[in-house]
Amino acid sequence: IGKDSPRKIVKTLEAKGAEILKSLGLTERVQIFTGDAAVQKMNEIGAEKDVVRMQKGALMGKAYVAKGGPKAGPTIIVVNPWITSEKFALETLAHEIGHVIMWTKLDPNSADMKAIQAEYEKWLLSVAALGPETSAAAIKASRGGAAYARDALATTIGEEPLLFSQLTPKQKTYAISFDEWFADQVSRFFTEQPTPSKGLTGLQAVVKQIADSVKAAYETLIKVFGFKP
């Protein structure tokens, strides 16, 4: 992925972010900060440590929930202003919006949620079948796409990919968590599906797309490891 100008990235994130939030009915519930404004907002809310993590490439984006929970006030989303790829920055923004959808829009007891949970469990079993010597990069790739994994690993791990067995317990939990998997499927929808299906609201279209996104993850596993779930 090539380098894009900071100004171009900020403009794209502001425009696309507003478009996504409007389609989901989340305009009043989410505030997006990019570029210099992201750093200013993190310092303002006492998240200076996250600024340092972003400078080091250890944090791509973050959603800060309001005190009292995601429904008590607007969630603040910041995107790492040191990301130099417009595509990667947009993937990151859509990923963080995925967390907000998870927290505010999905009924855990709904049929849609149960279907999504079932797809996640299939993916989890496919990853488990690969064994502990699977690379962390391959798991990220199966969850969020090869480009996402490559950029993330290039800035946080280095040239030598770590094996899943070498991660800390906290890192392992994060890598295969439902929240992260779901957020990546939402990211895929908004970055790989430019035109939502006709007749569907933004949220309905996202839910409908999850199953197809899982198929793409399976295809990555098959291609990289010759493994078929």
Side-chain angles (χ1 to χ4, degrees):
I1 298 176
K3 290 187 176 182
D4 297 298
S5 73
R7 179 176 295 182
K8 180 184 178 185
I9 291 174
V10 168
K11 283 188 174 181
T12 296
L13 293 183
E14 288 178 348
K16 190 64 178 178
E19 178 186 326
I20 293 174
L21 295 180
K22 183 178 180 180
S23 74
L24 297 169
L26 288 172
T27 302
E28 302 300 321
R29 290 193 174 186
V30 177
Q31 296 176 356
I32 297 172
F33 294 87
T34 63
D36 293 339
V39 175
Q40 183 178 342
K41 175 53 70 170
M42 284 187 285
N43 286 329
E44 182 183 309
I45 64 177
E48 292 87 354
K49 289 184 179 180
D50 286 340
V51 175
V52 175
R53 291 178 65 201
M54 286 189 177
Q55 286 178 312
K56 293 180 178 179
L59 183 65
M60 300 299 109
K62 190 165 183 178
Y64 298 93
V65 181
K67 290 182 179 180
K71 294 184 179 181
T75 294
I76 294 170
I77 289 179
V78 296
V79 177
N80 187 326
W82 289 278
I83 293 176
T84 58
S85 162
E86 181 183 68
K87 174 178 169 54
F88 188 31
L90 186 54
E91 287 177 352
T92 301
L93 173 60
H95 174 98
E96 298 304 330
I97 291 175
H99 285 309
V100 181
I101 292 174
M102 180 77 196
W103 300 331
T104 64
K105 289 288 188 176
L106 292 185
D107 178 357
N109 298 314
S110 68
D112 283 337
M113 190 60 178
K114 290 177 181 178
I116 292 172
Q117 182 71 32
E119 294 297 339
Y120 164 70
E121 289 172 0
K122 289 180 185 177
W123 174 78
L124 200 58
L125 288 172
S126 73
V127 170
L130 296 173
E133 299 311 300
T134 300
S135 71
I139 292 177
K140 282 191 175 186
S142 74
R143 194 187 76 196
Y148 182 98
R150 183 175 64 249
D151 277 39
L153 289 171
T155 53
T156 61
I157 295 177
E159 296 183 359
E160 295 298 324
L162 292 177
L163 300 180
F164 186 72
S165 60
Q166 296 173 314
L167 300 179
T168 65
K170 185 176 181 179
Q171 288 173 325
K172 289 177 181 177
T173 299
Y174 177 85
I176 61 175
S177 71
F178 176 76
D179 281 8
E180 293 305 312
W181 173 86
F182 179 81
D184 277 341
Q185 307 318 306
V186 172
S187 178
R188 280 180 167 178
F189 174 80
F190 283 115
T191 59
E192 298 176 11
Q193 299 291 325
T195 306
S197 302
K198 279 189 174 182
L200 298 178
T201 66
L203 181 59
Q204 289 171 331
V206 170
V207 171
K208 183 177 182 297
Q209 189 65 29
I210 293 296
D212 290 338
S213 296
V214 173
K215 292 177 184 177
Y218 285 175
E219 289 173 2
T220 300
L221 291 173
I222 294 169
K223 181 177 180 180
V224 176
F225 297 100
F227 168 79
K228 188 172 183 179

